[in-house]
Amino acid sequence: MQQLPTDETIRAALNRTHARLHRQHELVVEFGVVSLQVTELDLLLTRACEVVAEGMNTRYAKVLQPELDGDGFVLSHGVGWDAADIGRATVGADEASPAGYALATYRPVLSNHLGMENRFRTPELLKKYGIERAINVPIRGVLGPFGVLEADSSKGEDFVESDLVFLEGIATVISLAAERIAAGVEAPHPDPYSETILNASPDWVEIMSADGHIEFMNEAGLTFMNTSAAEVTGQRWHELWPEESRSIVWEALCKVGAGETIRFEAYCPLSATEPKWWDVTVAPIMGVNGQVERVIAVSRDITARHQYEAQLLSLIEAQNTRQDRSDLYLEEIHHRVKNSLHLVNTLLLLQANLAADAAVKLQLETAAGRVVTIASVHERLYQTAEDQGVHAEEYLNALLGDLGKALADRKIVLEADDFVLPPERMAPLGLVISELITNALKYGKGTIEVLVKHAGDHALLTVRDEGDGFPDNYPKPTGTGLGMRLVKSYSGYGSAAVTIDRQASKSCIHVRFKL
């Protein structure tokens, strides 16, 4: 049986996701500040590629711009590529190219399986570097398209929908800065601590004296506190916090007074009925003499995240107390998988709330809806666990109906013998067929036919569609190979379970499943 995520794995994944999103947010802000100071477009574009590579944890990033005397794109700026390719290497600009499609439609393109894509051809440049995953985001120009910002990866984890938000943020900064540079407007030098800038922040921002007396609180903070500037000016900052958080705040102020920048999380309710948790960054503002002149504190509302993490930890604790009861083992696995899916749903919705672009917000919300539907598909696999036997035809018809609602805009046809299996074998059968159909939906085309034939001690599963067939190296994985490992493991026959029918006129795969 394929090993499922442990409590520690779930928590580690949650922490990595939060850290990645936070760092990407910081990088967009930092790049925005840099863009105000740069007067040379080449320097700006190269810096953009460096920022993208860091934020996406990948080696390769590039800017593609239309060729002046051709019909394609030239790799004008980038990191990770050979110096000989920068300024010379080209890719296609038609809609069969990922970059061409992104610029023609002004829509982002994400692909984690370039070698198996039916939507686009893989550019020769990407083949040269063994690129398996790519994200393309259009960069808008003043009178027409400016180019495409792209992140590429030859290994590592898949790119996710939230990465699109990060790339679009960088692309937007490039667009604005390119327009300013083209117009010959001198780069502005705003006071980062001006009231106008601080009031534009949705976070709670305070400027204090070096010893912690409030000199300014922005409009968002005054709204959060339901107070006025006159009422808070002159107060000691740490005294605004409840007793349980005051020592943490005071310790942070002491360290900032010594020149450090401190970040912490603390509890500060806005009323007796409205609990709030805050992610707080406190930093010194240095004077010309190198001494701490003032202090800035930025507090971000993380109540929703904090409450969700508390619920998750509570659930994990509850699960751990039941883990020693072997008769609940299957139910334990079921709940962990379901909760992992709902965790992904929650993270997608959180990122959707941060998205400024309506199209990106819609994409993230759609992805979140699909994850919830897939969770219901998983639940069907285990809802018959109390039954002594399950009829295959009835069960698989219902399962394929769920899959169709979750993922398909194509027809799925089932032809199955009606035999009875115990739940402990019917659930793996459903998982194997779900994986085969999901692959056909992702990489095939046309009607999907599913045949399940009873053959004594095993069942013969056949899934075919109207695609062009499988790659020569299939079923060798192009990514993590998790799906095919699951199929082989649950089949009961290991590597001998899977056969590709290369004589068929359609894409066709057979799997032997031990009954």
Side-chain angles (χ1 to χ4, degrees), residues 29 33 96 168 176-177 179 183 197 218 228 236 284 295 301 310 339 376 394 436 483 487 507:
V29 174
V33 173
E168 290 192 324
L176 295 173
E179 181 178 353
I197 292 178
N218 73 339
S228 66
R236 295 177 67 85
V295 174
D301 184 357
N339 288 329
S376 70
E394 178 183 348
L436 296 176
V487 170
S507 299

Side-chain angles (χ1 to χ4, degrees), residues 166-179:
F166 168 60
L167 252 69
E168 290 192 324
I170 299 297
T172 299
V173 174
I174 293 173
S175 180
L176 295 173
E179 181 178 353

Side-chain angles (χ1 to χ4, degrees), residues 160-302:
V160 296
E161 296 285 342
S162 58
D163 292 328
L164 289 173
V165 179
F166 168 60
L167 252 69
E168 290 192 324
I170 299 297
T172 299
V173 174
I174 293 173
S175 180
L176 295 173
E179 181 178 353
R180 174 182 59 77
I181 293 171
V185 178
E186 184 178 351
H189 296 281
D191 176 7
Y193 306 112
S194 71
E195 291 189 13
T196 300
I197 292 178
L198 297 179
N199 280 328
S201 173
D203 296 326
W204 174 7
V205 183
E206 291 136 318
I207 300 293
M208 295 168 277
S209 62
D211 60 356
H213 287 83
I214 296 174
E215 297 179 355
F216 168 82
M217 183 182 293
N218 73 339
E219 293 176 359
L222 295 174
T223 301
F224 283 134
M225 296 293 294
N226 192 25
T227 187
S228 66
E231 291 176 316
V232 296
T233 301
Q235 290 195 41
R236 295 177 67 85
W237 181 52
H238 73 283
E239 293 178 354
L240 297 180
W241 295 78
E243 188 66 36
E244 62 192 88
S245 303
R246 202 166 291 173
S247 61
I248 300 175
V249 178
W250 177 249
E251 182 181 355
L253 274 175
C254 293
K255 291 182 178 180
V256 171
E260 295 184 50
T261 296
I262 304 298
R263 182 181 175 191
F264 62 90
E265 294 184 7
Y267 173 72
C268 184
L270 301 183
S271 69
T273 59
E274 190 176 6
K276 288 286 182 182
W277 283 264
W278 305 88
D279 183 333
V280 186
T281 300
V282 194
I285 301 174
M286 313 303 290
V288 293
N289 59 357
Q291 300 298 312
V292 178
E293 188 175 82
R294 290 185 295 170
V295 174
I296 182 171
V298 181
S299 304
R300 174 165 296 177
D301 184 357
I302 57 167

Side-chain angles (χ1 to χ4, degrees), residues 229-479:
E231 291 176 316
V232 296
T233 301
Q235 290 195 41
R236 295 177 67 85
W237 181 52
H238 73 283
E239 293 178 354
L240 297 180
W241 295 78
E243 188 66 36
E244 62 192 88
S245 303
R246 202 166 291 173
S247 61
I248 300 175
V249 178
W250 177 249
E251 182 181 355
L253 274 175
C254 293
K255 291 182 178 180
V256 171
E260 295 184 50
T261 296
I262 304 298
R263 182 181 175 191
F264 62 90
E265 294 184 7
Y267 173 72
C268 184
L270 301 183
S271 69
T273 59
E274 190 176 6
K276 288 286 182 182
W277 283 264
W278 305 88
D279 183 333
V280 186
T281 300
V282 194
I285 301 174
M286 313 303 290
V288 293
N289 59 357
Q291 300 298 312
V292 178
E293 188 175 82
R294 290 185 295 170
V295 174
I296 182 171
V298 181
S299 304
R300 174 165 296 177
D301 184 357
I302 57 167
T303 303
R305 193 201 82 192
H306 192 280
Q307 291 176 335
Y308 182 80
E309 289 177 349
Q311 292 169 3
L312 179 63
L313 292 174
S314 176
L315 176 62
I316 290 173
E317 291 299 322
Q319 290 174 331
N320 286 339
T321 61
R322 300 167 64 187
Q323 198 167 16
D324 293 335
R325 300 174 62 182
S326 60
D327 58 323
L328 293 177
Y329 182 64
L330 185 60
E331 183 182 351
E332 184 80 1
I333 293 174
H334 163 50
H335 283 303
R336 290 183 184 217
V337 174
K338 185 172 67 175
N339 288 329
S340 296
L341 290 169
H342 283 289
L343 171 61
V344 174
N345 167 258
T346 299
L347 293 175
L348 286 171
L349 290 177
L350 286 173
Q351 191 59 43
N353 290 334
L354 297 175
D357 186 286
V360 175
K361 183 180 183 70
L362 178 60
Q363 289 174 353
L364 291 172
E365 289 175 343
T366 300
R370 285 178 174 170
V371 171
V372 170
T373 309
I374 293 170
S376 70
V377 172
H378 168 266
E379 192 160 8
R380 182 178 290 280
L381 296 174
Y382 290 91
Q383 66 185 2
T384 56
E386 299 298 324
D387 297 337
Q388 295 301 311
V390 184
H391 287 268
E393 184 179 25
E394 178 183 348
Y395 178 85
L396 293 175
N397 265 314
L399 177 60
L400 265 60
D402 284 342
L403 277 174
K405 295 175 185 177
L407 300 172
D409 54 4
R410 287 157 48 197
K411 186 176 181 181
I412 303 176
V413 178
L414 172 69
E415 181 181 337
D417 291 341
D418 193 16
F419 51 93
V420 176
L421 280 182
E424 59 267 23
R425 287 308 290 161
M426 185 59 76
L429 177 62
L431 282 169
V432 170
I433 291 178
S434 298
E435 178 61 30
L436 296 176
I437 292 175
T438 300
N439 283 341
L441 289 170
K442 288 169 65 177
Y443 305 120
K445 58 185 179 181
T447 299
I448 299 172
E449 300 174 48
V450 182
L451 284 76
V452 182
K453 297 298 181 183
H454 189 271
D457 64 344
H458 70 278
L460 180 62
L461 317 180
T462 300
V463 176
R464 56 177 174 244
D465 60 71
E466 299 171 15
D468 298 326
F470 295 89
D472 291 340
N473 64 343
Y474 194 86
K476 181 180 179 181
T478 58

